[in-house]
Amino acid sequence: MSVKLIKAGETPTINPFSPPSVAKTNRPVQFAPTPSVPPPSRQAPGTPATTEAPETAPAKATGKEPGKGPESTVQVKELLAAASAKADGIVRTARAEAERQLANAQARVAELEADARARGLAEAQAVAHAQAQEELQLAVADLRQQLTATLDELAGLREQMAARAEQDLVRLALEIAKKVVQREVRVDHEIVLTLARVALGRLHSRANATVRLHPDDYAYVWSHRERLNSEGAVEIVEDRTVGLGGCIVQSELGEIDARIEQQFAEIEQEFLSV
Protein backbone atom coordinates (compact mmCIF):
# COMPACT_ATOMS: atom_id res chain seq x y z
CA MET A 1 0.00 0.00 0.00
CA SER A 2 1.41 3.50 -0.91
CA VAL A 3 0.91 6.74 1.01
CA LYS A 4 0.97 10.03 -0.93
CA LEU A 5 2.52 13.10 0.81
CA ILE A 6 0.37 16.21 0.73
CA LYS A 7 1.99 19.62 0.25
CA ALA A 8 1.24 22.63 2.44
CA GLY A 9 -1.94 24.39 1.36
CA GLU A 10 -3.17 21.37 -0.63
CA THR A 11 -6.41 19.71 0.36
CA PRO A 12 -6.03 15.93 0.68
CA THR A 13 -8.25 13.82 -1.57
CA ILE A 14 -9.59 10.57 -0.14
CA ASN A 15 -10.66 8.00 -2.69
CA PRO A 16 -13.48 5.69 -1.62
CA PHE A 17 -12.29 2.28 -0.47
CA SER A 18 -13.63 -0.88 -2.06
CA PRO A 19 -12.91 -4.14 -0.30
CA PRO A 20 -11.15 -6.77 -2.30
CA SER A 21 -13.40 -9.29 -3.96
CA VAL A 22 -13.32 -12.91 -2.86
CA ALA A 23 -13.59 -15.55 -5.57
CA LYS A 24 -16.47 -17.90 -5.09
CA THR A 25 -16.04 -21.68 -5.62
CA ASN A 26 -18.40 -24.63 -5.60
CA ARG A 27 -15.85 -26.91 -4.07
CA PRO A 28 -16.65 -28.15 -0.60
CA VAL A 29 -14.62 -26.71 2.19
CA GLN A 30 -12.11 -29.24 3.50
CA PHE A 31 -11.39 -29.22 7.24
CA ALA A 32 -8.24 -30.68 8.65
CA PRO A 33 -8.65 -33.68 11.00
CA THR A 34 -8.45 -32.94 14.68
CA PRO A 35 -5.24 -34.35 16.12
CA SER A 36 -5.54 -36.89 18.92
CA VAL A 37 -4.32 -35.80 22.32
CA PRO A 38 -2.41 -38.56 24.19
CA PRO A 39 -3.50 -39.30 27.73
CA PRO A 40 -1.47 -37.80 30.50
CA SER A 41 1.31 -40.04 31.69
CA ARG A 42 1.71 -41.01 35.27
CA GLN A 43 4.79 -39.96 37.09
CA ALA A 44 6.38 -41.39 40.17
CA PRO A 45 5.86 -39.67 43.44
CA GLY A 46 8.51 -37.06 44.13
CA THR A 47 9.18 -36.50 40.50
CA PRO A 48 8.42 -32.91 39.33
CA ALA A 49 5.64 -32.66 36.93
CA THR A 50 6.49 -31.69 33.44
CA THR A 51 4.11 -29.87 31.26
CA GLU A 52 4.25 -30.50 27.60
CA ALA A 53 3.18 -27.83 25.25
CA PRO A 54 0.30 -28.92 23.16
CA GLU A 55 0.91 -28.95 19.50
CA THR A 56 -0.51 -26.09 17.57
CA ALA A 57 -3.48 -27.08 15.57
CA PRO A 58 -3.27 -26.22 11.93
CA ALA A 59 -5.22 -23.14 10.79
CA LYS A 60 -8.56 -23.77 9.39
CA ALA A 61 -9.16 -22.81 5.87
CA THR A 62 -11.39 -19.72 5.71
CA GLY A 63 -11.31 -19.20 1.99
CA LYS A 64 -9.84 -15.51 2.46
CA GLU A 65 -6.40 -14.21 1.53
CA PRO A 66 -4.28 -12.51 4.18
CA GLY A 67 -4.61 -8.65 4.31
CA LYS A 68 -7.81 -8.68 2.31
CA GLY A 69 -10.37 -8.62 5.10
CA PRO A 70 -12.09 -5.94 7.20
CA GLU A 71 -8.89 -5.42 9.17
CA SER A 72 -7.18 -4.13 6.05
CA THR A 73 -10.01 -1.62 5.46
CA VAL A 74 -9.67 -0.29 9.00
CA GLN A 75 -5.93 0.10 8.59
CA VAL A 76 -6.37 2.00 5.31
CA LYS A 77 -8.87 4.35 6.91
CA GLU A 78 -6.56 4.90 9.84
CA LEU A 79 -3.68 5.63 7.48
CA LEU A 80 -5.84 8.01 5.49
CA ALA A 81 -7.00 9.75 8.68
CA ALA A 82 -3.42 10.03 9.89
CA ALA A 83 -2.30 11.38 6.51
CA SER A 84 -5.15 13.90 6.51
CA ALA A 85 -4.33 15.00 10.06
CA LYS A 86 -0.68 15.32 9.15
CA ALA A 87 -1.57 17.29 6.04
CA ASP A 88 -3.79 19.60 8.11
CA GLY A 89 -0.92 20.07 10.55
CA ILE A 90 1.45 20.87 7.72
CA VAL A 91 -1.06 23.32 6.27
CA ARG A 92 -1.55 24.98 9.65
CA THR A 93 2.17 25.14 10.23
CA ALA A 94 2.77 26.59 6.75
CA ARG A 95 -0.03 29.08 7.23
CA ALA A 96 1.33 30.15 10.62
CA GLU A 97 4.82 30.44 9.17
CA ALA A 98 3.47 32.48 6.25
CA GLU A 99 1.57 34.74 8.63
CA ARG A 100 4.69 35.14 10.79
CA GLN A 101 6.84 35.98 7.79
CA LEU A 102 4.15 38.39 6.53
CA ALA A 103 4.02 40.06 9.94
CA ASN A 104 7.82 40.30 10.00
CA ALA A 105 7.81 41.74 6.48
CA GLN A 106 5.11 44.27 7.40
CA ALA A 107 7.05 45.24 10.53
CA ARG A 108 10.21 45.62 8.45
CA VAL A 109 8.37 47.73 5.89
CA ALA A 110 6.96 49.92 8.67
CA GLU A 111 10.44 50.23 10.16
CA LEU A 112 11.91 51.17 6.78
CA GLU A 113 9.11 53.67 6.18
CA ALA A 114 9.65 55.22 9.62
CA ASP A 115 13.40 55.35 9.00
CA ALA A 116 12.83 56.89 5.59
CA ARG A 117 10.43 59.44 7.06
CA ALA A 118 12.93 60.25 9.80
CA ARG A 119 15.75 60.64 7.26
CA GLY A 120 13.50 62.66 4.99
CA LEU A 121 12.42 64.86 7.90
CA ALA A 122 16.03 65.34 8.98
CA GLU A 123 17.08 66.16 5.41
CA ALA A 124 14.11 68.50 5.01
CA GLN A 125 14.99 70.21 8.27
CA ALA A 126 18.61 70.52 7.18
CA VAL A 127 17.58 71.97 3.81
CA ALA A 128 15.10 74.34 5.48
CA HIS A 129 17.77 75.42 7.98
CA ALA A 130 20.27 76.03 5.19
CA GLN A 131 17.69 78.01 3.21
CA ALA A 132 16.76 80.01 6.30
CA GLN A 133 20.43 80.75 6.97
CA GLU A 134 20.94 81.86 3.37
CA GLU A 135 17.83 84.04 3.43
CA LEU A 136 18.90 85.46 6.80
CA GLN A 137 22.36 86.29 5.44
CA LEU A 138 20.81 87.96 2.41
CA ALA A 139 18.42 89.89 4.65
CA VAL A 140 21.28 90.92 6.95
CA ALA A 141 23.37 92.00 3.95
CA ASP A 142 20.42 94.01 2.63
CA LEU A 143 19.89 95.58 6.04
CA ARG A 144 23.58 96.43 6.23
CA GLN A 145 23.42 98.12 2.87
CA GLN A 146 20.30 100.02 3.91
CA LEU A 147 21.90 100.97 7.23
CA THR A 148 25.05 102.16 5.46
CA ALA A 149 22.98 104.18 3.01
CA THR A 150 20.94 105.59 5.91
CA LEU A 151 24.08 106.56 7.81
CA ASP A 152 25.45 108.24 4.70
CA GLU A 153 22.18 110.09 4.27
CA LEU A 154 22.22 111.09 7.92
CA ALA A 155 25.79 112.32 7.59
CA GLY A 156 24.85 114.35 4.54
CA LEU A 157 21.69 115.54 6.27
CA ARG A 158 23.72 116.54 9.31
CA GLU A 159 26.03 118.52 7.11
CA GLN A 160 23.05 120.09 5.38
CA MET A 161 21.42 120.86 8.71
CA ALA A 162 24.65 122.33 10.01
CA ALA A 163 25.06 124.42 6.88
CA ARG A 164 21.40 125.44 7.00
CA ALA A 165 21.68 126.24 10.67
CA GLU A 166 24.78 128.25 9.97
CA GLN A 167 22.99 130.08 7.17
CA ASP A 168 20.03 130.69 9.44
CA LEU A 169 22.36 132.02 12.12
CA VAL A 170 24.01 134.28 9.56
CA ARG A 171 20.65 135.56 8.39
CA LEU A 172 19.52 136.06 11.97
CA ALA A 173 22.71 137.92 12.83
CA LEU A 174 22.36 140.09 9.76
CA GLU A 175 18.74 140.86 10.57
CA ILE A 176 19.75 141.87 14.06
CA ALA A 177 22.56 143.97 12.67
CA LYS A 178 20.17 145.63 10.23
CA LYS A 179 17.81 146.58 13.01
CA VAL A 180 20.65 147.92 15.07
CA VAL A 181 22.07 149.93 12.17
CA GLN A 182 18.65 151.26 11.15
CA ARG A 183 18.11 152.47 14.68
CA GLU A 184 21.57 154.06 14.77
CA VAL A 185 21.21 155.88 11.42
CA ARG A 186 18.02 157.49 12.64
CA VAL A 187 19.86 158.88 15.62
CA ASP A 188 23.38 159.40 14.30
CA HIS A 189 23.71 161.15 10.91
CA GLU A 190 27.46 160.81 11.04
CA ILE A 191 26.98 157.33 9.56
CA VAL A 192 25.66 158.63 6.23
CA LEU A 193 28.36 161.36 6.13
CA THR A 194 31.05 158.72 6.66
CA LEU A 195 29.60 156.47 3.94
CA ALA A 196 29.49 159.35 1.45
CA ARG A 197 33.09 160.35 2.20
CA VAL A 198 34.29 156.72 1.77
CA ALA A 199 32.42 156.37 -1.54
CA LEU A 200 33.90 159.65 -2.90
CA GLY A 201 37.33 158.49 -1.81
CA ARG A 202 37.10 155.55 -4.22
CA LEU A 203 36.86 158.05 -7.10
CA HIS A 204 39.58 160.27 -8.50
CA SER A 205 40.18 163.22 -6.25
CA ARG A 206 39.32 165.72 -9.01
CA ALA A 207 36.33 163.79 -10.43
CA ASN A 208 32.96 165.47 -10.45
CA ALA A 209 30.28 163.43 -8.60
CA THR A 210 26.66 163.46 -7.53
CA VAL A 211 25.68 162.16 -4.10
CA ARG A 212 22.09 160.94 -3.75
CA LEU A 213 20.73 160.86 -0.18
CA HIS A 214 17.54 160.20 1.71
CA PRO A 215 15.72 163.49 2.35
CA ASP A 216 16.18 163.10 6.14
CA ASP A 217 19.95 162.86 5.61
CA TYR A 218 20.20 165.65 3.05
CA ALA A 219 20.24 168.65 5.45
CA TYR A 220 22.95 167.19 7.69
CA VAL A 221 25.26 166.23 4.84
CA TRP A 222 24.74 169.56 3.07
CA SER A 223 25.61 171.46 6.19
CA HIS A 224 28.81 169.38 6.58
CA ARG A 225 29.74 169.08 2.88
CA GLU A 226 33.23 170.42 3.49
CA ARG A 227 33.98 167.25 5.45
CA LEU A 228 33.53 165.11 2.31
CA ASN A 229 37.16 165.87 1.40
CA SER A 230 36.62 165.96 -2.35
CA GLU A 231 38.61 168.29 -4.63
CA GLY A 232 36.15 167.93 -7.46
CA ALA A 233 32.67 169.37 -7.81
CA VAL A 234 30.17 167.47 -5.64
CA GLU A 235 26.43 167.81 -6.12
CA ILE A 236 24.16 166.63 -3.28
CA VAL A 237 20.67 165.50 -4.35
CA GLU A 238 17.66 164.21 -2.41
CA ASP A 239 16.41 160.77 -3.50
CA ARG A 240 13.62 158.91 -1.69
CA THR A 241 14.63 155.59 -3.32
CA VAL A 242 17.76 155.67 -1.18
CA GLY A 243 17.32 154.25 2.30
CA LEU A 244 17.97 156.21 5.42
CA GLY A 245 21.67 156.24 6.36
CA GLY A 246 22.93 155.29 2.89
CA CYS A 247 23.87 157.02 -0.36
CA ILE A 248 24.60 156.48 -4.05
CA VAL A 249 27.61 158.24 -5.64
CA GLN A 250 27.53 158.74 -9.41
CA SER A 251 30.31 160.03 -11.68
CA GLU A 252 31.56 159.76 -15.24
CA LEU A 253 33.69 156.80 -14.02
CA GLY A 254 30.73 154.80 -12.73
CA GLU A 255 28.37 154.41 -9.79
CA ILE A 256 29.04 153.37 -6.19
CA ASP A 257 26.08 151.94 -4.22
CA ALA A 258 26.63 152.71 -0.54
CA ARG A 259 23.13 152.06 0.67
CA ILE A 260 22.79 150.21 3.99
CA GLU A 261 20.64 147.41 2.52
CA GLN A 262 23.17 146.87 -0.27
CA GLN A 263 26.00 146.58 2.23
CA PHE A 264 24.10 143.93 4.18
CA ALA A 265 23.23 142.03 0.93
CA GLU A 266 26.92 141.81 0.03
CA ILE A 267 27.83 140.66 3.53
CA GLU A 268 25.08 138.01 3.48
CA GLN A 269 26.20 136.77 0.06
CA GLU A 270 29.78 136.43 1.21
CA PHE A 271 28.78 134.46 4.33
CA LEU A 272 26.29 132.13 2.64
CA SER A 273 28.55 131.37 -0.34
CA VAL A 274 31.24 129.85 1.88
Side-chain angles (χ1 to χ4, degrees), residues 29-85:
V29 178
Q30 301 259 339
F31 295 95
T34 303
S36 60
V37 179
S41 61
R42 293 183 181 181
Q43 295 180 355
T47 305
T50 57
T51 304
E52 296 180 358
E55 297 180 358
T56 303
K60 297 181 180 181
T62 59
K64 298 181 180 180
E65 297 179 3
K68 298 295 185 176
E71 294 82 357
S72 299
T73 303
V74 173
Q75 292 177 358
V76 170
K77 290 182 178 180
E78 290 177 354
L79 290 174
L80 290 176
S84 178

Side-chain angles (χ1 to χ4, degrees), residues 173-192:
L174 291 176
E175 290 295 329
I176 294 173
K178 286 179 183 179
K179 292 183 179 298
V180 173
V181 171
Q182 287 174 0
R183 185 183 61 183
E184 290 296 325
V185 296
R186 287 191 182 94
V187 177
D188 188 2
H189 294 287
E190 282 291 328
I191 296 176
V192 65

Side-chain angles (χ1 to χ4, degrees), residues 189 192-193 196 211 213 217-226 228 236:
H189 294 287
V192 65
L193 183 62
V211 179
L213 302 170
D217 294 328
Y218 176 77
Y220 184 83
V221 174
W222 174 258
S223 61
H224 298 83
R225 61 183 179 277
E226 68 277 3
L228 294 176
I236 300 174

Side-chain angles (χ1 to χ4, degrees), residues 42-264:
R42 293 183 181 181
Q43 295 180 355
T47 305
T50 57
T51 304
E52 296 180 358
E55 297 180 358
T56 303
K60 297 181 180 181
T62 59
K64 298 181 180 180
E65 297 179 3
K68 298 295 185 176
E71 294 82 357
S72 299
T73 303
V74 173
Q75 292 177 358
V76 170
K77 290 182 178 180
E78 290 177 354
L79 290 174
L80 290 176
S84 178
K86 186 174 182 180
D88 292 340
I90 294 173
V91 169
R92 286 193 298 271
T93 302
R95 184 175 298 169
E97 181 66 19
E99 291 177 354
R100 186 183 65 80
Q101 293 181 1
L102 179 60
N104 292 337
Q106 291 177 350
R108 181 59 179 167
V109 169
E111 182 180 355
L112 291 175
E113 289 179 351
D115 189 15
R117 282 195 298 269
R119 287 199 303 268
L121 180 60
E123 292 177 358
Q125 290 177 349
V127 172
H129 182 70
Q131 291 179 353
Q133 288 292 333
E134 184 178 358
E135 293 177 358
L136 180 61
Q137 291 178 358
L138 292 176
V140 169
D142 190 13
L143 288 176
R144 287 177 179 174
Q145 292 179 356
Q146 293 180 2
L147 181 59
T148 303
T150 303
L151 292 176
D152 293 339
E153 291 178 0
L154 288 176
L157 181 61
R158 183 177 60 183
E159 294 177 357
Q160 293 177 3
M161 292 177 63
R164 185 173 299 176
E166 183 178 358
Q167 293 175 358
D168 292 339
L169 289 175
V170 170
R171 290 191 181 95
L172 179 61
L174 291 176
E175 290 295 329
I176 294 173
K178 286 179 183 179
K179 292 183 179 298
V180 173
V181 171
Q182 287 174 0
R183 185 183 61 183
E184 290 296 325
V185 296
R186 287 191 182 94
V187 177
D188 188 2
H189 294 287
E190 282 291 328
I191 296 176
V192 65
L193 183 62
T194 302
L195 289 176
R197 185 171 61 249
V198 171
L200 289 173
R202 294 179 181 177
L203 300 176
H204 192 271
S205 60
R206 297 184 180 275
N208 297 327
T210 302
V211 179
R212 297 183 176 277
L213 302 170
H214 189 273
D216 294 342
D217 294 328
Y218 176 77
Y220 184 83
V221 174
W222 174 258
S223 61
H224 298 83
R225 61 183 179 277
E226 68 277 3
R227 295 173 55 189
L228 294 176
N229 298 328
S230 177
E231 297 180 2
V234 176
E235 181 181 7
I236 300 174
V237 181
E238 296 182 4
D239 189 350
R240 291 187 175 276
T241 61
V242 179
L244 186 65
C247 65
I248 296 176
V249 178
Q250 297 174 336
S251 69
E252 64 273 9
L253 300 177
E255 182 179 284
I256 298 175
D257 192 347
R259 292 176 297 177
I260 299 297
E261 55 270 20
Q262 181 63 28
Q263 300 299 319
F264 276 108

